[in-house]
Amino acid sequence: MSPSQSTPLDSYAMACRQLDDAAAHLDIDPGLLERLRLTEREVTVNFPVKMDDGTLKMFTGYRVQHNDVRGPFKGGLRYHPDTDLGEVRALAMWMTWKAAVVNIPFGGAKGSVQCNPKKMSRGEVERLTRRFTWSIASIIGPERDIPAPDVYTGPQEMAWIMDTYSMIKGQTTPGVVTGKPLELGGSLGRFEATGRGVVIAAARAARHLGRELENMTVAIQGSGNVGGVAARYFERAGAKVVAMSDSGGGVYNPQGVSSAKALACKNQYSCLLGREVAAEDISNEELLELKVDLLAPCAMEGVLTEANAAKVRAGLVVEGANGPTTPEADAILADKGVLVVPDILANAGGVTVSYFEWVQNLQNLLWSEEQIGQRLEEIMGKAMDEVLAIAGEKKVSLRTAAMILGVNRVAEATKLRGIYP
Ligand code: NDP
């Protein structure tokens, strides 16, 4: 590790361990491995925002570009009070492997701003988004680096980024972001893409275990873009969602929790309430330990750890979130015979449809929802098959198999491009 990256925070250390595990199965030159470990560019910006009460407040934001050997940098933008450079570094690295696993010509990047958007007005969030865009405008662009929604950002933030960037460039540039509103060149199916992809991956994994999703019981942590949509698609596939949660806790009913009711409750009260959805209130920790067939962590990193992995009673874990399982937890789950479908495969539906959106923007075309759904199924299905084949052949976990597939694609592309001069 280089001196400038010698004090990694947990998520980045975790991402590096996963890279090393995969590299042990690949013939990679140590210099090249070091290149893959390090990010290409890390930008930290401090910028002022005028708050509603007239005061100026300083905010810190990051854009980390990990690798663009296979295509322009691509990755979400997160607004969270606890975000830091180490987290964004890890998320950027996972993006590189994810795009490679689904064989999409993008590299990996990620961004974040330390803030609590829940405690800010809409106007304050808009001004923060526009100032942050201005601060990173020189390193993003449709052919350079394309942000997308992540935790606590969505289509509206993408619209503000697109508008600010377009004003700086003097021309409307929809391709600078994905996950935009449909009215501004967003793609049909992008909002649903990650959650839908989680369910596609889950169905394939269930089949691998000799089961179908129908009648499987499912617990989902997080009910935002990924968790909320995944719940709807699990129900459509005939699975029984028995538990859902948000940052305040969860709801559980062994007979099933209606995702429509849960999301309506969240809309109305900004939280999940057992009494509103005919369920008992449980904690997020209890949700992870429920006796269910399938557990889908769809919120934050590091929720399955050495401390609780032994208590997981699901037979299948499908990671909608990035980095929810630590390497220690991975080892414990493997010993228990729990199959884990890793983030870089399970939640790759988002970057896949982001790619479709970007292609449509560059070509000024609009694809039908049916076309998008079909292509998403094909790409996710192919990636699942490839990862399952590697896992079987090399006798490794699905995470290591997915990493082998992704890292090898990036390593081969790097070798072909060579080092200039
Ligand atoms: P959202 O902001 O839409 O939703 C986040 C959800 O997680 C909310 O329900 C939130 O609850 C909940 N949450 C936050 N903190 C905790 C916590 N400590 N414990 C339990 N629940 C919590 O984010 P997304 O759904 O977009 O992202 C979720 C995960 O999926 C992240 O890891 C992200 O990187 C990953 N991902 C997202 C993609 C996308 O397309 N959006 C693509 C690929 C991965 P509350 O509402 O109460 O705050």
Side-chain angles (χ1 to χ4, degrees):
M1 210 168 293
S2 81
S4 64
Q5 296 188 352
S6 60
T7 52
L9 294 164
D10 287 350
S11 300
Y12 181 62
M14 200 168 123
C16 289
R17 266 184 73 176
Q18 293 167 353
L19 173 60
D20 288 340
D21 287 347
H25 297 270
L26 294 166
D27 182 22
I28 297 188
D29 170 84
L32 174 53
L33 182 59
E34 185 69 349
R35 177 167 180 197
L36 298 179
R37 194 191 315 280
L38 297 178
T39 60
E40 202 166 304
R41 184 176 293 112
E42 300 183 348
V43 173
T44 300
V45 293
N46 298 303
F47 56 97
V49 174
K50 202 176 275 178
M51 307 305 279
D52 288 346
D53 63 5
T55 59
L56 277 190
K57 192 169 171 198
M58 291 302 292
F59 288 88
T60 300
Y62 309 100
R63 188 72 188 171
V64 173
Q65 299 175 331
H66 173 253
N67 188 295
D68 69 344
V69 166
R70 299 180 67 258
F73 295 110
K74 178 88 190 92
L77 171 64
R78 173 175 298 195
Y79 288 172
H80 200 281
D82 300 330
T83 187
D84 59 33
L85 190 53
E87 176 187 66
V88 186
R89 236 177 230 165
L91 290 164
M93 195 201 271
W94 286 323
M95 274 306 301
T96 303
W97 315 139
K98 192 181 303 181
V101 165
V102 281
N103 212 357
I104 272 171
F106 278 145
K110 205 81 182 187
S112 74
V113 177
Q114 275 172 4
C115 65
N116 186 349
K118 291 182 187 175
K119 296 202 167 142
M120 295 168 71
S121 71
R122 194 177 158 85
E124 288 171 341
V125 174
E126 175 175 354
R127 293 192 290 279
L128 174 137
T129 304
R130 291 184 182 279
R131 281 299 306 213
F132 180 64
T133 305
W134 187 85
S135 299
I136 61 163
S138 62
I139 60 160
I140 61 171
E143 264 124 31
R144 296 194 71 180
D145 183 357
I146 308 131
D150 193 75
V151 174
Y152 301 152
T153 61
Q156 180 60 76
E157 285 74 15
M158 297 307 115
W160 289 326
I161 295 175
M162 175 196 151
D163 183 64
T164 309
Y165 184 85
S166 298
M167 289 190 331
I168 293 169
K169 294 291 165 190
Q171 63 185 65
T172 298
T173 316
V176 67
V177 282
T178 58
K180 303 175 284 294
L182 288 177
E183 295 82 347
L184 295 177
S187 176
L188 292 165
R190 173 59 186 91
F191 183 80
E192 294 79 10
T194 311
R196 186 172 180 178
V198 165
V199 179
I200 296 171
R204 294 259 171 164
R207 221 163 295 146
H208 176 71
L209 296 174
R211 297 198 55 181
E212 293 294 330
L213 281 185
E214 199 158 5
N215 296 325
M216 279 178 84
T217 51
V218 180
I220 304 174
Q221 182 180 61
S223 50
N225 177 240
V226 181
V229 172
R232 273 172 33 214
Y233 277 86
F234 272 122
E235 285 172 346
R236 278 191 207 174
K240 196 199 286 182
V241 175
V242 296
M244 291 176 68
S245 77
D246 65 12
S247 62
V251 290
Y252 170 58
N253 182 340
Q255 303 310 315
V257 172
S258 151
S259 68
K261 277 190 192 159
L263 297 174
C265 169
K266 182 122 184 82
N267 244 344
Q268 188 173 351
Y269 302 102
S270 301
C271 61
L272 292 170
L273 298 166
R275 66 177 153 77
E276 291 290 322
V277 298
E280 74 176 274
D281 292 309
I282 57 169
S283 66
N284 266 297
E285 199 50 46
E286 285 168 329
L287 180 142
L288 297 172
E289 297 166 12
L290 286 174
K291 185 159 172 38
V292 287
D293 297 314
L294 191 157
L295 172 65
C298 296
M300 301 299 287
E301 306 88 272
V303 294
L304 291 172
T305 65
E306 198 169 10
N308 63 5
K311 298 181 205 155
V312 168
R313 290 188 285 167
L316 176 59
V317 173
V318 183
E319 296 182 338
N322 286 308
T325 313
T326 65
E328 295 76 17
D330 257 340
I332 295 167
L333 294 173
D335 280 349
K336 282 166 61 83
V338 179
L339 185 68
V340 178
V341 186
D343 44 12
I344 59 168
L345 177 59
N347 69 32
V351 71
T352 302
V353 179
S354 274
Y355 169 63
F356 299 162
E357 180 174 331
W358 181 72
V359 169
Q360 291 172 80
N361 290 158
L362 295 188
Q363 300 183 337
N364 276 320
L365 283 177
L366 200 59
W367 297 0
S368 71
E369 200 158 7
E370 197 187 5
Q371 236 176 330
I372 284 162
Q374 198 180 335
R375 287 182 190 200
L376 175 65
E377 288 266 356
E378 273 167 23
I379 289 178
M380 292 286 298
K382 184 161 185 281
M384 275 298 290
D385 289 347
E386 285 175 323
V387 170
L388 284 166
I390 295 171
E393 187 192 314
K394 298 201 179 284
K395 309 266 174 288
V396 293
S397 68
L398 294 190
R399 186 182 317 283
T400 301
M403 288 289 294
I404 289 172
L405 181 63
V407 171
N408 193 44
R409 281 189 174 139
V410 178
E412 287 304 315
T414 311
K415 280 192 245 167
L416 283 168
R417 283 183 62 160
I419 306 287
Y420 175 83

